[in-house]
Amino acid sequence: MVKRRHCCPDLPAKRRLIDPAHSSQRRLVLYTPSIELLRCLGLFLRRRCYKLDLSPTQAIGWLRNIDNYLLIMGYQPVSFLSSGSVVFLYMLCRDLISPEADSVEQLQVSLLTCYFITHCYTGNENGYPETPFLVGSRTAFWDRCLSYINIMSSKMMQINSNRQIFREMLAELKAVGR
């Protein structure tokens, strides 16, 4: 009786090549450049807040200014505005930013609160300074953060634990840009 040997007996099982034809798992890689997703987010915000005279790049400028501040101050080693964080931010904005926003400042307050929550939930640091995200009262900011978290906590958990929800959110955001 001849024993069958693996093709690479010296390699641990994890390092052996898996034949895709025999693999029960297929991995779908979804990638869209963050710059494209930011453009889509800007378009979404402009359409959502139809009462405002808002360019799609204006709101994205607010996010980039905070991102640059956090980079310069050493709170993050690389830009936070990755594809995954933009999709997460979109999910929050979609459900929390009112189409009835009456002023650019009202939109900015809501967007930056969503951005702060995105940083806290998906970011590298244990804590981020509130200052760059703060527009208006500190007390109102924290009340808004708690309110938004209470509203979105189950969706925030779902998007990180269920790839399908992330894919759906990504597809929805990309559709905004078409």
Side-chain angles (χ1 to χ4, degrees), residues 2-102:
V2 176
K3 286 186 179 183
R4 292 188 105 179
R5 294 178 55 160
H6 292 289
C7 65
C8 307
D10 297 338
L11 290 177
K14 289 182 181 179
R15 301 264 326 261
R16 291 186 193 128
L17 294 176
I18 296 173
D19 181 5
H22 293 88
S23 175
S24 63
Q25 288 186 329
R26 293 185 116 191
R27 191 167 206 150
L28 178 63
V29 177
L30 299 172
Y31 175 75
T32 303
S34 59
I35 194 162
E36 175 65 19
L37 292 178
L38 282 169
R39 184 186 69 77
C40 294
L41 179 63
L43 289 170
F44 164 78
L45 292 169
R46 184 172 129 216
R47 290 177 188 150
R48 169 61 57 100
C49 301
Y50 62 92
K51 293 180 179 181
L52 304 178
D53 183 25
L54 181 75
S55 78
T57 58
Q58 187 174 0
I60 302 313
W62 302 330
L63 303 177
R64 288 188 175 176
N65 285 342
I66 292 172
D67 194 54
N68 288 334
Y69 173 85
L70 294 173
L71 280 167
I72 291 168
M73 298 307 289
Y75 285 100
Q76 57 192 27
V78 295
S79 174
F80 180 75
L81 293 169
S82 67
S83 298
S85 64
V86 175
V87 171
F88 189 92
L89 176 60
Y90 167 72
M91 178 190 71
L92 296 179
C93 292
R94 185 191 72 173
D95 289 3
L96 296 170
I97 292 183
S98 171
E100 302 302 316
D102 290 332

Side-chain angles (χ1 to χ4, degrees), residues 95-131:
D95 289 3
L96 296 170
I97 292 183
S98 171
E100 302 302 316
D102 290 332
S103 69
V104 172
E105 184 177 330
Q106 187 180 359
L107 168 63
Q108 187 179 29
V109 162
S110 291
L111 176 60
L112 297 187
T113 303
C114 290
Y115 193 41
F116 180 77
I117 293 168
T118 301
H119 267 81
C120 292
Y121 194 80
T122 64
N124 295 326
E125 289 293 319
N126 291 333
Y128 288 90
E130 68 186 15
T131 307

Side-chain angles (χ1 to χ4, degrees), residues 138-149:
R138 178 172 272 116
T139 302
F141 172 79
W142 287 110
D143 288 344
R144 208 171 29 261
C145 282
L146 292 175
S147 172
Y148 285 9
I149 290 167

